[in-house]
Amino acid sequence: MAAEMTAPTTKASMADDGLDPALVASLRTAIRGEVIAPADPGYERARKVYNGMIDRHPALVVRASDVADVIAAVTFAGERGLPLAVRGGGHNVAGLGTCDGGVVVDLGQMKGIRVDPATRTARVEGGATWGDLDHATHTFGLATPGGLVSTTGVGGLTLGGGFGHLTRRYGLSCDNLLAADVVTADGRLLTVSADEHPDLFWALRGGGGNFGVVTSFEFQLHPVGTVYGGPVFYPAAEGAQILRFFRDFIAEAPPELSAFFGYHVAPPAPFVPEQLHGHAACAIVACYTGPLAQAEAAVAPIRAAGTVALDLMGTLPYPALNSLFDALLPPGMQHYWKADFDTELADEAIAAHAEYGPKVPNFMSLMHLYPLDGAVQRVAPDGTAFSYRDVSFCHIIAGVDPDPAAMPAHTAWVRDYWAALHPYSAGGAYVNFLMDEGQERVKTTYRDNYPRLAALKAAYDPTNFFHVNQNIRPAG
Ligand SMILES: Cc1cc2nc3c(=O)[nH]c(=O)nc-3n(C[C@H](O)[C@H](O)[C@H](O)COP(=O)(O)OP(=O)(O)OC[C@H]3O[C@@H](n4cnc5c(N)ncnc54)[C@H](O)[C@@H]3O)c2cc1C
């Protein structure tokens, strides 16, 4: 995949001073949004993505304002053999929302959302974030499973699968997708659903950005308004005990209770007692969506699992829980991640967590262990492109810092931790947590679904035009 993400610049993109100005001018006449070239003010900001480690220089950034702009940008890049990157929320840590020497279609201006409370559905444009969607649906006491940080894009997260606080109860984000409008490599707009182009609909639910630009998504919503949840922190030294508790507790927990485990360093925040600042801790972060009167009883075992250093669980609006980590993870930090799925949490894996978890280097870095059970497992592994439906957990280890000079040490911590856990993992990793890890890793992640995805890629994108992603190569 390294070759895909750094595809050689084509003839059209090689001039030192960017693309031929006449070409850029012709594109500008076709676009209602903005076309930003390297010489334009705002280019430096426009080329950047969430991960500050990514330093790519596209020939143009097209801030699309509508579907027509997307079609114009796709056609422009396609006709000139330019690489094309699609940006939803720009959060992908592999930097898949940008490219060198090509065209970036930035959907960030396309955030329109229409909620239909009667059918409990929402139509969401391709550049909306989870904060945008949670805000729009919460007014009606509704929500759909999304990510844990509100600035993450609905687009990339959903197309890779997507999980969060509501997943045990209501499934992956892609499981709640009812339909999508997609601009394909040949510039057509297709509406896909279980009834229309069902093969493409299957591929979009986990296949990432491989099949086209999704200009809007239609989601199933669920009654979720005020929830009970938040983090409980324990001393890092109790990690093994808390993990054993978590493994057994979550396996028996009802779907309306979700929780994940993490290692963190306590941040110097006003709500954290000063004596904890800068100290490693482990935590369980819960979300209970059942009747509030039963919430305290449902989470009581979490409070009894160890020595509680800080208890921040309580009643709060779902969008507040879903943006709790935003301030800890602002854009522009350096990110290095590694991840895997876990069929089970073996005692040997718990021992590795207990060794490496307490070494988490700062309050932005983390290890999270998410449950992938409940509603996720009600869909067959070949029911959508997202294959790993038969695992229990997914873990991620993230080294994060504002200072590039600190990253070699953080990267070493991530790699050592991951290597210690990998022998006990299921083999593949969540596609949205992968960095630039090579084609075999992508194949492992899609397992038996890969050949079908490759055949669909050959049908819908035979030239691999959409290759700035965790790439599925066209069959043949
Ligand atoms: C702080 C943080 C928290 C996260 N939390 C979670 C979490 O709780 N759960 C979870 O499942 N994941 C989580 N993720 C991972 C997240 O799913 C990926 O980073 C995902 O790629 C983000 O989507 P995006 O639209 O913001 O990214 P982008 O960088 O914009 O895009 C990522 C990929 O998706 C494609 N893409 C994006 N939008 C579209 C579109 N509309 N049409 C076609 N292709 C598109 C892009 O081409 C690219 O290949 C988190 C990431 C971060 C940085």
Side-chain angles (χ1 to χ4, degrees):
M1 200 221 5
E4 318 297 345
M5 295 206 310
T6 53
T9 47
T10 63
K11 208 174 166 201
S13 67
M14 274 170 53
D16 286 345
D17 50 353
L19 292 176
D20 176 353
L23 273 182
V24 178
S26 76
L27 181 63
R28 283 203 164 106
T29 61
I31 298 281
R32 256 181 118 78
E34 272 180 284
V35 177
I36 305 169
D40 292 331
Y43 174 79
E44 274 309 302
R45 216 174 120 241
R47 78 181 180 86
K48 295 211 166 111
V49 289
Y50 175 82
N51 184 358
M53 209 182 247
I54 306 296
D55 183 27
R56 300 201 179 116
H57 291 80
L60 291 176
V61 177
V62 176
R63 288 217 174 108
S65 68
D66 56 20
V67 175
D69 281 0
V70 173
I71 292 174
V74 163
T75 308
F76 177 88
E79 285 177 355
R80 284 157 192 86
L82 291 166
L84 183 101
V86 181
R87 188 183 304 164
H91 261 219
N92 190 279
V93 291
L96 300 176
T98 187
C99 61
D100 274 325
V103 176
V104 172
V105 178
D106 181 348
L107 301 170
Q109 311 293 308
M110 293 175 59
K111 288 173 175 287
I113 297 172
R114 181 180 188 275
V115 179
D116 183 341
T119 57
R120 290 185 177 162
T121 57
R123 249 295 160 187
V124 185
E125 280 194 304
T129 63
W130 285 101
D132 298 328
L133 183 52
D134 289 344
H135 169 78
T137 58
H138 186 67
T139 300
F140 304 100
L142 300 169
T144 200
L148 303 167
V149 172
S150 78
T151 50
T152 310
V154 169
L157 184 138
T158 302
L159 294 172
F163 47 79
H165 293 297
L166 304 181
T167 292
R168 291 194 80 235
R169 187 164 190 185
Y170 297 118
L172 299 173
S173 304
C174 72
D175 297 339
N176 289 277
L177 190 62
L178 300 173
D181 285 346
V182 194
V183 175
T184 52
D186 55 6
R188 283 182 300 158
L189 178 72
L190 301 181
T191 295
V192 305
S193 67
D195 302 321
E196 290 178 90
H197 305 286
D199 53 350
L200 187 52
F201 184 54
W202 177 88
L204 285 186
R205 288 173 290 159
N210 273 283
F211 295 92
V213 187
V214 178
T215 53
S216 80
F217 299 84
E218 186 179 347
F219 287 104
Q220 184 67 61
L221 306 175
H222 308 275
V224 177
T226 301
V227 301
Y228 191 95
V232 174
F233 292 89
Y234 320 85
E238 291 184 17
Q241 168 195 335
I242 302 296
L243 267 167
R244 277 192 296 272
F245 158 78
F246 174 71
R247 171 183 66 188
D248 300 340
F249 175 71
I250 204 73
E252 299 298 324
E256 54 270 27
L257 180 61
S258 184
F260 67 88
F261 173 92
Y263 279 106
H264 281 272
V265 165
F271 54 85
V272 178
E274 226 173 291
Q275 69 272 18
L276 298 179
H277 290 183
H279 291 284
C282 62
I284 292 178
V285 183
C287 173
Y288 181 75
T289 54
L292 286 175
Q294 294 166 26
E296 299 262 356
V299 302
I302 296 175
R303 291 193 158 115
T307 311
V308 174
L310 178 63
D311 181 349
L312 294 174
M313 278 201 292
T315 304
L316 74 179
Y318 172 70
L321 181 63
N322 229 16
S323 50
L324 218 56
F325 294 104
D326 287 13
L328 291 179
L329 292 164
M333 302 291 115
Q334 310 271 307
H335 283 251
Y336 181 79
W337 295 10
K338 274 188 94 64
D340 268 324
F341 290 117
D342 304 292
T343 306
E344 55 169 12
L345 193 54
D347 288 339
E348 293 87 342
I350 290 181
H353 279 296
E355 182 181 350
Y356 290 95
K359 296 178 187 160
V360 56
N362 59 25
F363 69 81
M364 285 162 280
S365 301
L366 54 87
M367 192 295 297
H368 279 177
L369 180 76
Y370 304 109
L372 273 188
D373 54 359
V376 181
Q377 298 179 346
R378 288 205 290 272
V379 178
D382 63 356
T384 66
F386 186 99
S387 160
Y388 273 92
R389 303 265 183 183
D390 46 359
V391 293
S392 303
F393 301 102
C394 166
H395 67 258
I396 177 171
I397 309 155
V400 187
D401 205 291
D403 181 6
M407 287 312 285
H410 298 350
T411 300
W413 169 71
V414 172
R415 287 189 174 145
D416 292 349
Y417 195 165
W418 178 84
L421 290 173
H422 188 63
Y424 313 106
S425 75
Y430 176 37
V431 76
N432 278 346
F433 289 168
L434 288 178
M435 296 201 67
D436 187 354
E437 299 181 36
Q439 184 67 21
E440 281 312 308
R441 190 92 160 121
V442 177
K443 280 189 179 167
T444 309
T445 281
Y446 288 112
R447 297 195 293 186
D448 295 347
N449 288 344
Y450 192 86
R452 184 172 170 192
L453 282 163
L456 287 166
K457 182 77 172 169
Y460 285 98
D461 183 14
T463 65
N464 204 5
F465 174 62
F466 295 111
H467 61 256
V468 186
N469 42 51
Q470 299 296 349
N471 197 234
I472 295 159
R473 296 199 178 141

